[in-house]
Amino acid sequence: MMNQPLLIELFTEELPPKALSKLGEAFAVGIVNSLKARDFIEADYVATSFATPRRLAVLITNVRTTSPDQHCREKVLPVSVALDANGNASAPLLKKLAAMGFADVQISQLERAVDGKAESFFYSYTAAGLTLNTALQSAIEESVAKLPVPKLMTYQRPDGSSVQFARPVHSLIALHGPDIVDVGFMGLKADRITMGHRFLSEGKISIAHANDYVDSLNNSGKVIASFKQRKENIRSQLMAHAGADQVLMPDALLDEVTALVEWPVVYECHFEEIFLSVPQECLILTMQTNQKYFALTDQSGKLRPRFLIVSNIATDTPEQIIRGNETVVRPRLSDAKFFFEQDQKKTLASRALGLSNVVYHNKLGSQAQRVERVQKLAGYIATQLDADVTLAQRAAQLAKADLLTDMVGEFPELQGIMGSYYARIDGEDAQVALAMTEHYQPRFAGDALPSSDTGTILALADKCETLVGIWGIGLQPTGDRDPFALRRHALGVLRILIEKQLPLHLSGLLQHAAALFADNASFSYPGEALTQFIYDRLRGILKERGYSPAEVEAVVAPQPDFLSNIMQRLSAVQSFAALPEAAALAAANKRITNILKKTEQAYRIVDTALLIEDAERALFDATEHVSSKVQTAYAAGDFNQALQILATIRPQVDAFFNDVMVMAEDLELRANRIALLAMLHGILNQVADISKLAA
């Protein structure tokens, strides 16, 4: 068995750029996993994936020519079936051996062993290893079948047969070291021939050895085969051309541009400074979205009248390329300038009236009706926070008006942003203008929260109205589907309440939002289902911040209505869990919880006259002693101190469960002891349900 590097390449028409990176990685992983499963790859292998606009490839080191022989042991038949009455081979045994390919095997060659409750015959043999071409043929077919292709294309091969792939496939390379592996795909036979850059290379390129692939494409083909290397090459060129300025290069744009070029070259272009009178977000978005250009800003973040393009053509005279791109971008910027100027002819307040003609959802009415609900909810939240109700309701009234502007109609991504610009132009209060943008925050994981009081209030109102309304008409998320982004809205509500430490009842927010739909026949209050959904999102947030599942469950399981102090509770639980008394108290609390669950009677006040055992009197005295201290610490928000105090009663708790029979035959004694446990349970779980810490 000779180990050599293995190269596989599919050369195609231009692949979908937004999917190219994932396609390249998936193709490589699929080939590797399939060959590993067939034992063709050594443990110290290295796999390198390649993806360019016209190819998917992988280079794997230490691949065997044949897989090792396999020592196999297979069950044949139970002895009772395999032998006839005379102890000879039965017809079923002969038939089974023939089906397994062992027709010449005799009974004496079979192993007789216990199999469960009966005896069976087994046959051990050595299976010859597979050849690489056999395994690779399956690997290619399996890998391609699993590729995350956005949309398959059906096309005809020269022989008239129809095949399906992301784009038409023109050639297949399969090289094991210097040798072609005899495999095929889409009617193509494997070879060593590929093509380089459409314009910069000189025809076909023959790959002499699998290890020559990268250098051959780079030197003869003018192709940087590695997606990652090409991306970093582009990033470096952009940074170099930016100079003292900052280049705006979001990952999604960088990935897409990387997928469009094989030999990237960055050139600098310019546009007229008159366009800088337009909000820079508009100019940046049109350059990025429509033209795939990279905008530049100065160190303070102000847009510069120059931008960078990534070309697929290297030339010493790029003037024509530069002029062409400057000519192409000018109409786009002119459109943005026109939209901005036209939009200013009407105020946001006047546009808000038109929201009655815009459907929000056929079961929830128009955008105007939604705005009215958000206004009321914002007023309620502002009142709870002693904030400016007038500002909150004015912001809610105008928040969706920019949906009717030409600019947002052209670039929906600018909703809120344009609202802020137009509100300032209209002379609205600075907090109202800022809230136009901030009420959409956080837009994504890790996004900033609203900075202003009015923006915070409006963001909460908008998200709660959406959560309750959409869930209330039966459109809750299912599996991976979440068309109304309710998961994102729930996370936004949680982050705002927690990180801004707002003294608001979560239940109050949801119930007040639900009351706004009281006259809607299609609406049904989501209640517990929505609450559970939100607390599940809370569990996710806290686990992402490094807390253990047990710690998270301890604070979330009781479903705290105030989330402003959730982090302090978690910190206290962490400290408590490190105490030597924690495990025993958690286990005792779990036991108490289970006892109380089985008790249907209402808990009464503990009758001290019925505390006849020393251990139960000691537990009552200890509980009474720490109760006021725990309450004081809890009221002061010192959750760590509260749990530390509870740790002191561990001896009395242990003694109680060692010496006292809770479920006494005397019903009065039993009821009194259960009342004592209920009293203790209430104190133990004020900060968190510490029973969740029990192993």
Side-chain angles (χ1 to χ4, degrees):
M1 295 183 292
M2 181 179 293
N3 293 346
Q4 293 270 20
L6 175 68
L7 170 68
I8 309 297
E9 182 204 71
L10 292 179
F11 183 76
T12 71
E13 290 293 331
E14 274 75 3
L15 293 160
K18 291 184 178 179
L20 183 63
S21 178
K22 289 183 178 179
L23 287 174
E25 292 171 4
F27 181 71
V29 168
I31 297 289
V32 168
N33 288 345
S34 185
L35 292 178
K36 281 175 70 176
R38 293 170 171 84
D39 205 8
F40 271 87
I41 302 178
E42 296 284 0
D44 59 347
Y45 78 96
V46 175
T48 307
S49 68
F50 304 99
T52 78
R54 297 192 295 160
R55 78 197 74 232
L56 300 175
V58 59
L59 178 64
I60 313 167
T61 63
N62 283 338
V63 178
R64 302 183 178 105
T65 306
T66 59
S67 62
D69 294 344
Q70 298 291 319
H71 299 290
C72 306
R73 180 176 181 265
E74 290 191 44
K75 179 180 176 180
V76 183
L77 279 178
V79 172
S80 59
V81 178
L83 300 179
D84 60 18
N86 299 318
N88 298 318
S90 66
L93 175 61
L94 297 175
K95 184 177 180 181
K96 180 63 183 267
L97 288 171
M100 295 172 68
F102 308 130
D104 296 333
V105 171
Q106 304 299 311
I107 289 181
S108 60
Q109 296 173 269
L110 300 178
E111 173 193 355
R112 186 166 174 167
V114 175
D115 178 37
K117 294 183 179 180
E119 280 191 310
S120 293
F121 280 121
F122 293 83
Y123 182 56
S124 297
Y125 62 96
T126 299
L130 298 173
T131 58
L132 179 58
N133 64 314
T134 301
L136 184 56
Q137 183 66 52
S138 298
I140 293 172
E141 293 170 358
E142 291 170 6
S143 177
V144 169
K146 296 176 182 177
L147 287 180
V149 178
K151 187 176 182 180
L152 288 170
M153 174 184 288
T154 301
Y155 64 97
Q156 279 195 328
R157 296 289 307 148
D159 62 5
S161 61
S162 291
V163 291
Q164 283 190 322
F165 193 59
R167 295 293 185 269
V169 183
H170 292 307
S171 65
L172 168 66
I173 289 179
L175 289 179
H176 190 225
D179 303 319
I180 296 172
V181 184
D182 184 18
V183 293
F185 180 68
M186 299 284 184
L188 300 165
K189 295 294 290 181
D191 203 339
R192 63 174 74 249
I193 303 300
T194 188
M195 299 292 289
H197 194 286
R198 275 194 186 276
F199 310 112
L200 302 179
S201 66
E202 299 177 359
K204 296 179 179 179
I205 300 171
S206 178
I207 309 297
H209 190 283
N211 281 338
D212 297 338
Y213 182 68
V214 172
D215 289 341
S216 294
L217 277 179
N218 192 77
N219 299 331
S220 302
K222 293 299 180 184
V223 171
I224 300 175
S226 167
F227 188 95
K228 291 180 180 178
Q229 288 181 10
R230 213 162 56 253
K231 182 176 178 179
E232 289 311 307
N233 179 288
I234 293 171
R235 191 195 304 275
S236 296
Q237 290 191 60
L238 290 171
M239 296 293 287
H241 278 77
D245 290 333
Q246 295 179 326
V247 56
L248 304 182
M249 45 181 171
D251 260 355
L253 176 61
L254 199 53
D255 280 345
E256 189 173 359
V257 169
T258 302
L260 291 169
V261 296
E262 293 181 315
W263 193 256
V265 183
V266 172
Y267 298 116
E268 180 180 329
C269 303
H270 296 79
F271 61 84
E272 292 83 352
E273 291 196 17
I274 189 174
F275 293 119
L276 293 177
S277 62
V278 180
Q280 66 182 46
E281 293 90 344
C282 309
L283 306 183
I284 292 168
L285 190 61
T286 191
M287 283 191 279
Q288 292 179 345
T289 304
N290 296 314
Q291 311 303 143
K292 315 305 175 191
Y293 297 158
F294 293 86
L296 295 165
T297 68
D298 62 20
Q299 291 300 315
S300 65
K302 184 178 180 182
L303 187 66
R304 302 272 283 132
R306 67 188 187 107
F307 58 95
L308 303 176
I309 66 168
V310 180
S311 174
N312 200 32
I313 301 293
T315 175
D316 294 331
T317 55
E319 292 80 14
Q320 189 173 352
I321 295 173
I322 292 170
R323 280 198 303 272
N325 282 279
E326 289 175 344
T327 301
V328 167
V329 79
R330 192 171 293 113
R332 291 288 185 179
L333 301 184
S334 296
D335 286 346
K337 186 173 183 294
F338 174 77
F339 292 147
F340 183 55
E341 291 170 350
Q342 287 296 109
D343 285 343
Q344 293 177 59
K345 294 179 179 180
K346 292 179 67 176
T347 64
L348 279 181
S350 65
R351 290 184 188 276
L353 300 175
L355 291 173
S356 59
N357 300 319
V358 179
V359 175
Y360 169 50
H361 190 281
N362 60 0
K363 291 184 177 180
L364 296 175
S366 67
Q367 281 285 3
Q369 290 171 302
R370 183 185 181 217
V371 164
E372 185 179 351
R373 291 192 294 267
V374 174
Q375 262 189 294
K376 292 178 180 177
L377 190 53
Y380 163 76
I381 296 171
T383 301
Q384 296 298 304
L385 297 176
D386 291 327
D388 193 315
V389 175
T390 302
L391 287 181
Q393 293 191 323
R394 178 62 173 176
Q397 180 187 358
L398 302 179
K400 305 301 178 183
D402 69 348
L403 297 177
L404 297 178
T405 62
D406 291 339
M407 189 70 83
V408 174
E410 181 72 10
F411 301 111
E413 301 92 335
L414 292 175
Q415 57 187 284
I417 294 171
M418 295 314 302
S420 283
Y421 277 102
Y422 297 140
R424 291 188 186 97
I425 291 169
D426 292 346
E428 296 289 345
D429 186 279
Q431 283 222 26
V432 171
L434 187 56
M436 301 296 96
T437 297
E438 289 193 333
H439 83 279
Y440 287 104
Q441 293 175 274
R443 286 180 162 90
F444 50 85
D447 190 20
L449 298 182
S451 62
S452 66
D453 291 344
T454 303
T456 299
I457 291 166
L458 185 54
L460 270 180
D462 183 70
K463 289 169 174 56
C464 287
E465 190 276 343
T466 302
L467 275 168
V468 173
I470 296 298
W471 198 294
I473 57 172
L475 296 177
Q476 60 269 34
T478 55
D480 293 334
R481 287 184 51 78
D482 186 11
F484 295 94
L486 298 191
R487 292 186 179 94
R488 177 165 57 80
H489 285 301
L491 290 172
V493 169
L494 290 168
R495 281 194 58 201
I496 290 171
L497 292 176
I498 293 170
E499 294 176 33
K500 287 188 169 289
Q501 298 187 334
L502 299 182
L504 294 170
H505 291 278
L506 177 61
S507 61
L509 286 174
L510 300 180
Q511 289 166 8
H512 203 84
L516 301 172
F517 296 92
D519 297 332
N520 189 320
S522 302
F523 177 84
S524 177
Y525 180 53
E528 184 63 21
L530 176 56
T531 302
Q532 287 294 342
F533 173 79
I534 293 173
Y535 282 115
D536 283 344
R537 306 283 80 71
L538 177 59
R539 288 179 173 91
I541 288 176
L542 299 179
K543 287 174 184 176
E544 286 177 1
R545 297 187 182 188
Y547 294 99
S548 73
E551 291 164 353
V552 170
E553 203 58 29
V555 298
V556 176
Q559 296 191 351
D561 208 17
F562 275 110
L563 300 180
S564 56
N565 56 26
I566 198 83
M567 305 310 295
Q568 292 91 323
R569 289 174 186 258
L570 270 169
S571 178
V573 167
Q574 272 193 329
S575 298
F576 175 76
L579 296 175
E581 298 88 354
L585 279 175
N589 193 34
K590 186 174 183 179
R591 184 174 177 182
I592 293 169
T593 300
N594 291 333
I595 291 172
L596 296 180
K597 280 181 181 177
K598 297 174 182 177
T599 306
E600 297 181 359
Q601 67 190 54
Y603 307 132
R604 67 188 196 184
I605 297 174
V606 177
D607 185 348
T608 55
L610 292 175
L611 300 175
I612 59 175
E613 301 284 352
D614 291 343
E616 60 184 330
R617 283 197 299 272
L619 179 59
F620 176 79
D621 291 342
T623 304
E624 282 266 276
H625 178 70
V626 301
S627 178
S628 60
K629 294 181 179 180
V630 170
Q631 294 285 1
T632 300
Y634 181 84
D638 192 345
F639 304 126
N640 189 53
Q641 178 66 14
L643 289 178
Q644 297 279 340
I645 293 169
L646 286 173
T648 64
I649 66 171
R650 177 197 165 177
Q652 290 84 356
V653 173
D654 288 348
F656 177 86
F657 281 112
N658 286 333
D659 301 343
V660 178
M661 174 68 70
V662 176
M663 307 307 285
E665 290 186 14
D666 186 315
L667 296 182
E668 280 295 304
L669 287 179
R670 180 191 302 180
N672 201 56
R673 287 167 183 172
I674 289 173
L676 174 58
L677 291 181
M679 174 184 172
L680 175 61
H681 189 265
I683 297 171
L684 285 175
N685 294 286
Q686 262 194 303
V687 174
D689 183 353
I690 63 172
S691 70
K692 301 300 181 183
L693 300 176

